[in-house]
Amino acid sequence: MARIPITRSISIDEAELQESSTRSSGPGGQHVNTTDSAVILRFDVAKSPSLPDAVKLRLSKLAGSRMTSDGVLILRSEGSRSQLTNRQDVRERLVAMIVEATFVPRARKATKPTKGSQKRRVEGKLRRSDVKSGRGKWRE
């Protein structure tokens, strides 16, 4: 079977992907009622031997509601009248999601605000307080 390249070190086997087609709700007029042009792609992330565990974890967070409780990622494409175009689109989206999951986010270094920024913040609050205190009922 052919392999789909993701990065230099990661590629997934096409046998790991399950594709099915259904009727699309997109453009096409009467044609849309007769052809199965929408493509649904299922990729079992949890059981995939091609992905490292860290990438699987980040991918499951990225996928959100598109990931089932069993760890299967489900993507759907129905933007085109052509099944082939939808198939290419859904595969490109899968590759893009996996590539995004390969990047490790940098750890944030905790920093303290500078004295100048603290002073500007307090001065801004005082000015805003003066503006608001000037509102309300007028007294003689």
Side-chain angles (χ1 to χ4, degrees):
M1 270 305 218
R3 295 190 67 80
I4 301 169
I6 307 295
T7 63
R8 288 185 203 172
S9 59
I10 299 174
S11 63
I12 52 176
D13 195 356
E14 283 199 23
E16 294 182 53
L17 305 178
Q18 294 176 337
E19 289 179 343
S20 59
S21 37
T22 64
R23 300 249 165 97
S24 176
S25 64
Q30 293 174 348
H31 177 74
V32 80
N33 299 325
T34 60
T35 57
D36 293 342
S37 60
V39 176
I40 298 172
L41 182 131
R42 294 175 190 274
F43 176 57
D44 196 345
V45 176
K47 295 179 184 173
S48 175
S50 306
L51 298 178
D53 290 338
V55 174
K56 288 180 186 179
L57 184 66
R58 285 193 295 273
L59 184 58
S60 65
K61 288 180 183 177
L62 272 173
S65 63
R66 293 173 288 197
M67 181 82 73
T68 65
S69 59
D70 300 332
V72 178
L73 177 64
I74 300 173
L75 297 175
R76 179 182 173 100
S77 177
E78 56 180 316
S80 171
R81 290 185 185 190
S82 165
Q83 187 183 78
L84 180 63
T85 306
N86 286 333
R87 185 170 178 249
Q88 290 169 344
D89 176 55
V90 79
R91 283 178 175 232
E92 288 171 4
R93 286 181 20 222
L94 174 69
V95 169
M97 282 183 76
I98 297 173
V99 166
E100 190 176 346
T102 59
F103 292 114
V104 181
R106 281 191 182 167
R108 183 187 177 276
K109 294 181 184 177
T111 58
K112 291 183 179 179
T114 62
K115 290 285 184 186
S117 67
Q118 288 177 351
K119 185 178 175 185
R120 286 189 298 274
R121 180 180 147 269
V122 171
E123 287 173 355
K125 285 166 111 22
L126 287 171
R127 280 194 302 272
R128 189 74 184 145
S129 173
D130 289 342
V131 167
K132 287 190 171 191
S133 66
R135 298 177 185 161
K137 291 188 177 182
W138 186 76
R139 297 187 184 124
E140 288 185 33

